[in-house]
Amino acid sequence: MINHLIALTIAVVIDAIVGDPPKWPHPVKWMGAFISFLEKRLNKKDSPRVKGAVMVLLIVLTVLLATASVVWLSYQIHVVAGILVESLFIATTIARKSLQEAALEVYKPLQKGDLQEARVKLSYIVGRDTERLDESELVRGTVETVAENTSDGVTAPLFWAFIGGAPLAMVYRAINTCDSMVGYKNERFLQFGWASAKLDDLVNWLPSRLSGYMMLIAHKPLLLKRTDAWRIFLRDARKHPSPNSGWLEAAVAVLLGVQLGGVNYYKGLVSNRARMGEAYTPLKKAHILLTNRILTSTTILFILLLWIGGIAIELASTWSKSALYL
């Protein structure tokens, strides 16, 4: 347990320094290639749900066995080698720095008044149509992306690293990658991607809720009393079509005093998303910077929570073993 905690803490530091250099080899690229290979061969007319479940199972087992083997061999060499290898694996599963940098890529042209460039930059990180968005909508898209990816990109892999070290962190990233590639509700993936989407919802269920609560614990709302912020947060968190994203978007919305959600367009088709929070102030480009700060401080508090939990588990285990000899 303590080794996992040390490894995930080092991993966060590695991510803060290095991030995700685009030209470096990355396990997610290999996962993506494997998913694409299997999808082309399994996504046929007959039993697509079953074949989609087989695909995600094969991906998970392959990633689990490969990562566990490398980590086990590293610990056989020396505990320090094991921790370092775990740290490197876990670092590839988190993306706090790259997420914040992507948000800043939208913020910078907004600061210069270049809406067209901001639209292009936002299109890199969202699935919605961005060609006609005004500044407020560009900010909303950026804030929502950072908020909902706080779990997917940071706290969820850290949570699973806490539970099972690098192997479970990598399994989480494999499931999340499957969902991002085949978890769409369109004709091609509605049935085939069902298992990937449901499994992704499951592994994010607890981390997303913990993260939402951590956001409100770590920050004072800008325009609301804490009691009002908690009331609106709990009211709106379940409104999102995703069972998990609403907990993060609602938390950020009440902290900023803005309203998220609304009308989005996907390839010209309207999608009316539930509103999160109350519009006490209009969305402004400065809210992108504030959301990035929320992400950073939530990450720090989440790691602290994991350390407290880990130490408590170790102490309880030591006490129970000692009690056996009394």
Side-chain angles (χ1 to χ4, degrees):
M1 179 67 73
I2 296 300
N3 288 346
H4 296 336
L5 285 166
I6 295 171
L8 68 86
T9 305
I10 295 173
V12 171
V13 175
I14 293 172
D15 176 70
I17 296 171
V18 178
D20 290 321
K23 294 184 179 180
W24 285 22
H26 199 290
V28 171
K29 295 179 182 178
W30 303 334
M31 292 177 195
F34 192 21
I35 293 166
S36 181
F37 173 83
L38 292 176
E39 188 272 331
K40 290 176 182 177
R41 284 154 182 79
L42 294 176
N43 191 6
K44 308 297 182 181
K45 292 182 179 179
D46 298 329
S47 305
R49 275 200 182 188
V50 174
K51 291 178 179 177
V54 169
M55 185 206 73
V56 71
L57 180 61
L58 287 173
I59 296 291
V60 165
L61 289 176
T62 301
V63 169
L64 178 62
L65 290 173
T67 308
S69 298
V70 174
V71 170
W72 181 82
L73 287 172
S74 301
Y75 274 106
Q76 299 311 300
I77 296 171
H78 195 278
V79 66
V80 173
I83 290 172
L84 289 176
V85 168
E86 278 210 272
S87 300
L88 291 172
F89 271 124
I90 296 169
T92 67
T93 69
I94 57 179
R96 185 194 61 82
K97 183 177 183 180
S98 60
L99 181 57
Q100 290 181 323
E101 287 176 343
L104 289 175
E105 286 297 304
V106 181
Y107 171 80
K108 290 173 184 176
L110 284 178
Q111 199 175 28
K112 299 174 182 177
D114 189 348
L115 294 185
Q116 186 55 39
E117 180 66 12
R119 289 167 184 150
V120 172
K121 296 298 185 182
L122 181 62
S123 72
Y124 296 161
I125 58 174
V126 299
R128 71 191 69 174
D129 300 342
T130 64
E131 295 85 357
R132 300 180 181 179
L133 298 184
D134 60 17
E135 179 174 317
S136 176
E137 287 296 295
L138 289 165
V139 171
R140 178 168 74 86
T142 308
V143 169
E144 288 174 353
T145 298
V146 174
E148 67 183 49
N149 281 287
T150 297
S151 177
D152 285 12
V154 185
T155 57
L158 291 177
F159 173 83
W160 289 107
F162 169 76
I163 298 297
L168 282 194
M170 292 291 286
V171 164
Y172 168 80
R173 183 53 62 212
I175 293 169
N176 188 250
T177 305
C178 285
D179 178 57
S180 68
M181 292 183 67
V182 304
Y184 297 102
K185 293 182 179 180
N186 56 27
E187 185 177 353
R188 179 177 178 180
F189 294 123
L190 181 61
Q191 297 299 320
F192 185 80
W194 181 85
S196 294
K198 293 300 181 184
L199 193 54
D200 185 69
D201 288 343
L202 179 63
V203 296
N204 275 300
W205 193 91
L206 184 55
S208 64
R209 285 154 178 78
L210 286 174
S211 301
Y213 282 106
M214 290 299 101
M215 285 178 177
L216 264 68
I217 291 170
H219 305 90
K220 181 180 179 181
L222 296 178
L223 301 172
L224 291 167
K225 295 180 181 178
R226 283 191 179 272
T227 52
D228 291 333
W230 280 98
R231 175 180 56 79
I232 296 171
F233 165 67
L234 294 172
R235 181 196 71 188
D236 293 347
R238 295 178 178 86
K239 292 180 179 179
H240 200 281
S242 162
N244 300 316
S245 296
W247 294 86
L248 302 153
E249 289 190 20
V252 169
V254 298
L255 289 173
L256 299 179
V258 301
Q259 187 173 78
L260 301 177
V263 177
N264 296 332
Y265 289 87
Y266 296 89
K267 296 182 179 180
L269 299 177
V270 177
S271 175
N272 200 338
R273 295 296 178 90
R275 270 66 172 178
M276 303 281 164
E278 301 285 351
Y280 292 100
T281 186
L283 282 157
K284 303 172 184 176
K285 50 183 173 286
H287 287 129
I288 295 175
L289 301 180
L290 292 170
T291 306
N292 272 355
R293 292 175 190 169
I294 291 172
L295 170 57
T296 297
S297 50
T298 300
T299 302
I300 294 169
L301 183 59
F302 198 83
I303 294 170
L304 180 60
L305 174 68
L306 295 180
W307 270 98
I308 292 171
I311 292 171
I313 291 170
E314 288 291 325
L315 290 174
S317 177
T318 302
W319 179 85
S320 61
K321 290 177 181 177
S322 300
L324 291 175
Y325 296 98
L326 294 179

